[in-house]
């Protein structure tokens, strides 16, 4: 995957944190942006 994925990543709304790529995919998900892949800023529960 190319893009801007930085770990650990925390949800700005509730504070959930993903420390691994697997946790990031499960809790936040990914999206296509500017020809690459990046993580969602808010977790799936807060969206």
């Amino acid at each position: 995957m190319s893009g801007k994925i930085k770990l650990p990543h925390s949800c700005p709304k509730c504070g959930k944190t993903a420390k691994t790529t697997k946790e990031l995919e499960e809790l936040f998900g990914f999206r296509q942006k500017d020809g690459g892949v990046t993580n969602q800023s808010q977790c799936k529960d807060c969206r």
Side-chain angles (χ1 to χ4, degrees):
M1 279 187 267
S2 63
K4 298 177 182 178
I5 297 174
K6 295 181 181 178
L7 292 172
H9 176 71
S10 298
C11 177
K13 196 168 183 181
C14 72
K16 282 184 189 175
T17 301
K19 296 177 183 173
T20 65
T21 306
K22 184 178 179 181
E23 288 178 348
L24 189 65
E25 183 176 9
E26 291 172 359
L27 296 174
F28 293 87
F30 298 108
R31 62 186 169 133
Q32 295 287 332
K33 183 178 178 186
D34 299 330
V37 177
T38 188
N39 53 289
Q40 295 281 358
S41 58
Q42 292 184 351
C43 70
K44 292 178 180 179
D45 290 336
C46 289
R47 282 188 273 132

